[in-house]
Amino acid sequence: MLTFIARRLLFLPVVLIGVTLLIFVAMSFLSPYQLVSTYIKSPEELKNQSLDDLVRKYGLDQPVHIRYMNWMKNLLKGDLGYSVSANMPVTEAIAKRFPATLELALFATIPVVMGGIWLGTISAKHYNKPLDHFSRVFAIVGWSLPDFVFGLILLMLFYGVLGWFPPGRLSMWADSIVLTGDFVRYTGLNTIDALLNKRLDIFWDAVRHLIAPVITLAYLWWAYLLRITRSSMLEVMNKDYVRTARAKGLTERVVMNRHVRRNALIPVATVSGSMVLGLLGGVVIVETVFDYKGIGLLTATGAQQLDYTLVLGTTLFYGLLLVLINLVVDVLYAIIDPRVRLE
Amino acid sequence: MLDVKDLRKYFPITKGLFRRTVGYVKAVERVSFQVRKGETLGVVGESGCGKTTMGLSIMHLIQPTEGSIRLNVDGNWQDVNTQTIRRLRDKMQIVFQDPYSSLDPRMRIRDIVAEPLQAHGMKNRRERYERVEALLEAVGLGAHHMNRFPHEFSGGQRQRIGIARALALNPSLVVCDEPVSALDVSVQAQVLNLLDDLQEQFGLTYLFIAHDLSVVQHISDRVAVMYLGRIVEMGDVDSLFVTPKHPYTEALLSAIPDPDPDIVREKIVLQGDVPNPANPPAGCHFHPRCRYAQERCRTEIPDLKDINGQGHLVACHYAKELDLTGISRAETA
């Protein structure tokens, strides 16, 4: 197992260089004058300088490979340029906004994975019975409903009509407490920080703001995981080794949990990689709908204002994040399916 | 040892939006037989004749539609049904046809073989693994195979694992569902010999399902021939192979390839295909393909009857009149 992870880690730099190359290629479609903006660290630099000077200063008139090396040097220093739309360096903006997105994604992933697999199992166990039909309809609706539509419906219903789940990350009063020095920001995740600061009222306020975006994000992927788990379970249930398990005299519960579900989870683990990818993409839309100040909303605002620096920076960040997530999924995969480990 | 009476298994055929049942495939129809302690009863027949369905129904791995199955446990006859089957699984076990798909790919060999032990109350893990080691040695594998996964083994080795798993609980009856049909001929012989040895060593009783007549002849004491879900002939292996009484058995026997090129034997090629089991022909199910068929065969279903008082049972109206050719005595030796 450890050698598997180690070997997988050895591969990581290669993938990372690939990601940076791709983004660099995307960057080189911009003219040097547009690109200058991605190199500027603060607005002060623009004083008493002509654009041509800046182009020369940052080596944007140099050949491609030198430009790439320069860009990489800055990248390794954690310098992604200055974002006009966020009015701060890109790295700082990402560092500030990422906890919010992480919080949203965590709260969405856990119910998605648990709920999706659970519903899929139930659906498969009750194959072609009312419960199965019901969950299939539930899945088809979730799968066909675009998240921006579903999000708006939730917002209208639970905020506009009922007033239960407001948009944003925190209410005003909670926000003002969080920003004071008394409230220690351990992680940047509101819910966890609130618990660590023993402020249950703030915790509840943060949860209230999370419910609607989490449901929006989760529903689509619930539906997806439910369908994958269900069909995979049904396939495994007809496998000969499940019959063998019954012949051993195991109880039906053991047969289902130990033999059917574990084997059925292999394709589920495979798709969960693309699921996380979809979740991160969905975050952009969901955060915009619910005015939830995370990386998604940051990117969306940046794109609207043609803030190249920010968009390239967050894209790079997304890319690196995905590489890491895929690593985790691969390791998970090896845990579930021992055959992967040995090869 | 095992007493099966009037076993039936019907699979419903459903149609349309609301899955109305429009008919039944009678996969196993009124099958009765006994298996004596220590013997091997071979069951042969074409693909689709219900052999495997019968084996799985006896093991209650599929729910039989009707009929009684009784197992003799230490001198007492016990009903095998949905309630008792889990308890009786340590008395009757099954070796499956396909060794490639019947082992959980995610489990180590030691766990595959040890799982039934755990399920039947052997709590101590060390004890279980010791037993697994002994079992693997009994089937010609070794302790060093215990930590491996199924995909690391060849077909023959996997079948040995399947056999070790079946024997783990010390059963008295083992249903072998075409245990060698997925294997190479050279490996078939090894596995058959292994089954022979194990039978002697552990005093096992086999219900041996196969479609290969030479395999059945090699391993069986008695043989039952199935056609379209029914047993059409049953008897001692020698008397059935040398003096078959059912035209279907005769046709099957004539198809056994002969290693001696000088012997020219008449091959009986059956006309037509096996009829649809959802809609079997009236009368004797075999009559459309039988070269001796007469008027009576088209209307009346023959019973399975003992024709010579020596346990040779045949389901044919003309069993006594017909003079059928089997294989020569020399070949049985």
Side-chain angles (χ1 to χ4, degrees):
Chain A
M1 193 70 212
L2 280 174
T3 41
F4 175 81
I5 298 175
R7 218 179 308 152
R8 204 60 190 70
L9 280 174
L10 278 180
F11 209 59
L12 197 62
V14 185
V15 182
L16 290 180
I17 287 170
V19 171
T20 57
L21 267 177
L22 269 178
I23 289 173
F24 185 74
V25 167
M27 272 173 76
S28 45
F29 285 112
L30 298 171
S31 80
Y33 300 107
Q34 288 169 313
L35 272 177
V36 161
S37 64
T38 65
Y39 283 82
I40 291 167
K41 292 185 189 69
S42 80
E44 301 294 308
E45 274 187 67
L46 292 172
K47 281 176 188 158
N48 311 319
Q49 295 250 32
S50 79
L51 258 181
D52 287 315
D53 286 342
L54 284 169
V55 166
R56 233 168 289 125
K57 182 182 171 198
Y58 290 111
L60 292 173
D61 49 351
Q62 302 283 325
V64 167
H65 59 279
I66 296 183
R67 285 201 330 250
Y68 178 68
M69 293 312 283
N70 287 340
W71 183 68
M72 278 300 279
K73 251 184 243 159
N74 279 336
L75 193 68
L76 290 174
K77 276 186 273 173
D79 181 6
L80 291 170
Y82 191 85
S83 160
V84 184
S85 64
N87 206 14
M88 58 178 95
V90 172
T91 342
E92 198 185 318
I94 291 177
K96 243 182 157 164
R97 294 291 197 98
F98 181 60
T101 300
L102 183 67
E103 188 170 29
L104 183 59
L106 275 182
F107 274 86
T109 308
I110 293 163
V112 163
V113 172
M114 309 287 264
I117 292 174
W118 182 64
L119 286 174
T121 312
I122 290 190
S123 203
K125 271 190 196 161
H126 298 261
Y127 177 59
N128 264 340
K129 302 225 173 78
L131 210 55
D132 181 32
H133 293 312
F134 176 77
S135 68
R136 276 160 75 188
V137 171
F138 175 79
I140 289 169
V141 171
W143 194 231
S144 345
L145 207 58
D147 40 9
F148 53 90
V149 175
F150 185 57
L152 283 175
I153 293 174
L154 286 186
L155 193 63
M156 189 187 75
L157 198 68
F158 290 109
Y159 181 57
V161 178
L162 297 166
W164 291 351
F165 308 136
R169 264 192 93 187
L170 282 174
S171 304
M172 280 265 251
W173 64 267
D175 222 9
S176 59
I177 296 174
V178 168
L179 289 175
T180 59
D182 296 340
F183 190 90
V184 193
R185 306 236 54 171
Y186 297 98
T187 58
L189 308 182
N190 283 341
T191 44
I192 295 174
D193 285 349
L195 285 180
L196 291 176
N197 283 290
K198 301 196 180 67
R199 289 298 300 255
L200 274 181
D201 50 341
I202 294 183
F203 173 76
W204 172 237
D205 191 60
V207 168
R208 231 157 55 98
H209 285 82
L210 273 169
I211 290 175
V214 160
I215 291 176
T216 314
L217 263 183
Y219 189 19
L220 172 78
W221 297 101
W222 249 335
Y224 188 59
L225 270 195
L226 187 158
R227 289 172 66 158
I228 302 275
T229 311
R230 175 180 175 273
S231 60
S232 169
M233 288 275 294
L234 286 177
E235 196 191 314
V236 175
M237 271 152 87
N238 284 321
K239 284 266 159 71
D240 284 358
Y241 56 78
V242 173
R243 201 174 54 191
T244 309
R246 293 215 173 89
K248 287 175 179 177
L250 305 175
T251 56
E252 198 54 29
R253 206 169 56 89
V254 175
V255 171
M256 275 291 165
N257 291 346
R258 197 184 294 165
H259 292 271
V260 177
R261 189 154 63 193
R262 285 225 196 132
N263 279 294
L265 281 184
I266 295 171
V268 175
T270 318
V271 301
S272 63
S274 61
M275 187 192 82
V276 172
L277 187 112
L279 269 179
L280 283 178
V283 157
V284 177
I285 291 160
V286 169
E287 286 183 0
T288 310
V289 169
F290 290 98
D291 189 33
Y292 185 93
K293 291 186 179 54
I295 289 210
L297 187 55
L298 183 74
T299 317
T301 325
Q304 277 169 355
Q305 299 181 14
L306 292 182
D307 185 350
Y308 305 115
T309 327
L310 182 74
V311 174
L312 286 171
T314 48
T315 310
L316 184 70
F317 180 70
Y318 263 166
L320 300 183
L321 198 63
L322 278 176
V323 170
L324 290 177
I325 290 170
N326 272 326
L327 176 74
V328 173
V329 169
D330 275 359
V331 171
L332 258 174
Y333 200 77
I335 291 173
I336 300 175
D337 189 355
R339 282 169 298 180
V340 175
R341 238 178 291 163
L342 290 158
E343 271 149 26
Chain B
M1 185 78 238
L2 179 74
D3 179 33
V4 176
K5 224 177 243 147
D6 280 337
L7 184 71
R8 294 170 202 233
K9 176 65 198 178
Y10 293 177
F11 292 105
I13 308 165
T14 56
K15 239 187 191 162
L17 187 59
F18 298 104
R19 299 172 200 283
R20 240 165 352 103
T21 303
V22 292
Y24 291 96
V25 174
K26 300 178 178 174
V28 177
E29 174 73 353
R30 288 191 55 207
V31 165
S32 306
F33 61 87
Q34 285 98 36
V35 188
R36 298 175 204 134
K37 190 168 170 45
E39 76 165 351
T40 300
L41 175 67
V43 180
V44 279
E46 281 166 274
S47 319
C49 72
K51 310 179 295 273
T52 295
T53 308
M54 184 191 78
L56 295 178
S57 302
I58 291 171
M59 291 300 299
H60 272 260
L61 288 171
I62 52 180
Q63 195 60 37
T65 309
E66 226 177 275
S68 95
I69 301 157
R70 290 187 309 153
L71 184 74
N72 196 324
V73 182
D74 308 323
N76 300 314
W77 285 101
Q78 297 206 2
D79 261 324
V80 180
N81 55 42
T82 325
Q83 278 82 47
T84 57
I85 182 65
R86 247 176 42 75
R87 197 164 42 75
L88 288 173
R89 289 235 189 266
D90 58 347
K91 301 288 183 294
M92 52 200 288
Q93 268 296 332
I94 180 162
V95 175
F96 291 105
Q97 176 170 12
D98 187 350
Y100 292 93
S101 62
S102 57
L103 303 174
D104 189 334
R106 254 196 45 263
M107 283 185 130
R108 289 173 200 279
I109 301 311
R110 56 155 201 249
D111 296 318
I112 289 177
V113 181
E115 211 180 11
L117 296 169
Q118 191 183 9
H120 286 83
M122 197 189 268
K123 294 276 179 272
N124 185 331
R125 179 198 288 247
R126 261 245 315 280
E127 216 178 303
R128 285 204 301 265
Y129 287 158
E130 271 164 25
R131 172 107 179 100
V132 171
E133 211 179 309
L135 282 162
L136 287 180
E137 266 155 31
V139 299
L141 297 170
H144 58 286
H145 290 118
M146 280 175 63
N147 281 328
R148 300 201 189 160
F149 289 95
H151 69 273
E152 297 172 72
F153 292 90
S154 68
Q157 286 175 315
R158 286 182 193 215
Q159 198 56 292
R160 287 169 192 268
I161 295 162
I163 293 168
R165 189 223 82 230
L167 296 183
L169 295 169
N170 244 331
S172 36
L173 174 78
V174 178
V175 176
C176 303
D177 180 14
E178 307 213 23
V180 297
S181 63
L183 307 175
D184 285 343
V185 179
S186 58
V187 182
Q188 284 192 1
Q190 292 172 14
V191 173
L192 286 176
N193 290 333
L194 172 69
L195 285 170
D196 246 352
D197 294 345
L198 292 171
Q199 179 165 39
E200 208 166 306
Q201 200 178 336
F202 297 106
L204 301 170
T205 306
Y206 287 148
L207 178 64
F208 194 97
I209 299 167
H211 61 248
D212 186 331
L213 284 161
S214 22
V215 166
V216 165
Q217 187 192 2
H218 173 81
I219 199 151
S220 309
D221 301 308
R222 287 192 305 139
V223 178
V225 180
M226 279 184 83
Y227 186 75
L228 273 185
R230 289 164 185 270
I231 292 182
V232 292
E233 184 166 3
M234 181 155 68
D236 287 345
V237 64
D238 287 345
S239 99
L240 188 131
F241 273 70
V242 178
T243 55
K245 295 293 176 196
H246 196 284
Y248 180 61
T249 314
E250 183 193 33
L252 285 182
L253 292 173
S254 79
I256 299 181
D258 201 302
D260 184 349
D262 293 334
I263 296 182
V264 180
R265 233 177 16 197
E266 185 200 5
K267 273 212 169 61
I268 305 166
V269 180
L270 289 177
Q271 298 301 310
D273 288 324
V274 183
N276 180 359
N279 185 19
C284 172
H285 288 351
F286 187 59
H287 85 255
R289 304 170 78 189
C290 179
R291 53 180 188 168
Y292 311 105
Q294 298 186 27
E295 199 43 48
R296 190 179 167 200
C297 304
R298 287 178 238 285
T299 50
E300 202 179 315
I301 301 181
D303 284 332
L304 189 64
K305 280 187 302 235
D306 192 340
I307 50 150
N308 55 7
Q310 286 165 10
H312 193 141
L313 289 85
V314 188
C316 176
H317 296 305
Y318 301 100
K320 281 186 180 145
E321 289 84 359
L322 291 175
D323 182 26
L324 305 176
T325 345
I327 56 176
S328 61
R329 280 232 179 254
E331 287 175 77
T332 62

